[in-house]
């Protein structure tokens, strides 16, 4: 079985922390997750709620992350699912056989986020639209920091959160709008 990202490199048997049997690339340190092994392993894991969409991962993706990948079984192109709204990386999956690919370090990041047991869900339209929403929020916050400076922007984020939680928060919003509506 050949590495999806490097021609002529053979994958070898390997077990990931957490006990999942995978095919490991000795050259780029990526891991191929055959769907049969993954599904069996997944069913043995404690049931988890879908975790929050992660923002900045503080993780530098592998140089091969953006390289086009071919399924080691089917030889077709793998599809990509974005993880993270700032500095994202991509996990890959074969649309035909369902096998998944994690570049070097991605499994560890996913495990840290509690997403390693849900990799198949990252490809769902629900997750992808939540990821886009999260990306929008992140950009909006950065734009506000840019316009108002960090101190005032942080006060506004905190105020927005308080008003959101308060049962009469809309009175506060109405007051601000009246004050600023000139
Ligand atoms: Zn490789
Ligand atoms: Zn395949």
């Amino acid at each position: 079985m050949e590495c999806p990202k490097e021609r002529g490199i053979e994958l070898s048997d390997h077990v990931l922390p957490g006990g999942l049997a995978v095919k490991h690339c000795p050259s780029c340190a990526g891991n191929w997750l055959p769907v049969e092994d993954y599904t069996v392993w997944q069913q043995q894991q404690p049931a988890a709620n879908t975790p929050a969409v992660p923002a900045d991962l503080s993780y530098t993706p592998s140089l091969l992350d953006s390289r086009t990948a071919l399924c080691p079984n089917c030889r077709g192109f793998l599809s990509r699912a974005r993880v993270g709204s700032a500095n994202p990386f991509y996990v890959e999956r074969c649309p035909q056989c369902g096998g998944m690919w994690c570049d070097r370090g991605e499994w560890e990041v996913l495990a840290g986020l509690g997403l390693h047991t849900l990799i198949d869900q990252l490809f769902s339209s629900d997750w992808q639209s939540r990821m886009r929403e999260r990306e929008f929020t992140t950009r909006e916050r950065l734009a506000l920091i840019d316009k108002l400076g960090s101190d005032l922007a942080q006060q506004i984020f905190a105020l927005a959160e308080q008003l959101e939680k308060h049962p009469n928060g809309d009175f506060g919003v109405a007051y601000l709008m009246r004050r600023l509506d000139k």
Side-chain angles (χ1 to χ4, degrees):
M1 192 180 261
E2 201 174 72
C3 174
K5 300 226 168 168
E6 301 170 296
R7 301 196 72 170
I9 308 281
E10 277 295 305
L11 302 180
S12 53
D13 288 332
H14 183 67
V15 179
L16 290 177
L20 173 62
V22 297
K23 301 287 179 191
H24 181 76
C25 177
S27 165
C28 67
N31 293 299
W32 176 253
L33 286 43
V35 71
E36 305 79 23
D37 300 277
Y38 186 74
T39 309
V40 170
W41 175 84
Q42 193 178 31
Q43 283 160 0
Q44 293 162 352
Q45 303 310 305
N49 294 324
T50 311
V53 175
D56 193 341
L57 302 169
S58 317
Y59 160 71
T60 310
S62 159
L63 290 174
L64 295 186
D65 191 35
S66 54
R67 188 183 289 186
T68 312
L70 292 176
C71 176
N73 295 320
C74 320
R75 307 310 300 165
F77 289 110
L78 302 184
S79 55
R80 287 149 56 91
R82 177 186 171 126
V83 183
S85 55
N87 307 317
F89 66 86
Y90 295 84
V91 285
E92 280 125 327
R93 185 174 66 162
C94 175
Q96 289 183 58
C97 70
M100 289 163 283
W101 175 257
C102 293
D103 290 298
R104 175 186 53 76
E106 291 176 1
W107 173 264
E108 289 74 12
V109 175
L110 291 171
L113 295 165
L115 290 171
H116 61 319
T117 58
L118 307 162
I119 298 181
D120 46 343
Q121 283 184 36
L122 302 179
F123 293 84
S124 69
S125 54
D126 176 53
W127 173 270
Q128 287 300 316
S129 71
R130 283 172 56 202
M131 192 70 76
R132 277 190 295 275
E133 252 169 61
R134 181 70 206 244
E135 190 190 354
F136 175 78
T137 315
T138 306
R139 280 205 196 143
E140 196 181 37
R141 287 171 75 98
L142 289 175
L144 205 60
I145 291 169
D146 186 48
K147 295 274 182 219
L148 300 179
S150 180
D151 285 354
L152 185 54
Q154 296 303 337
Q155 289 180 49
I156 291 185
F157 300 146
L159 180 62
E161 214 162 285
Q162 286 176 41
L163 289 173
E164 226 169 43
K165 282 184 198 148
H166 197 285
N168 292 326
D170 49 338
F171 284 87
V173 177
Y175 172 78
L176 284 173
M177 288 176 69
R178 225 169 21 246
R179 275 295 299 267
L180 300 171
D181 182 28
K182 295 206 178 92

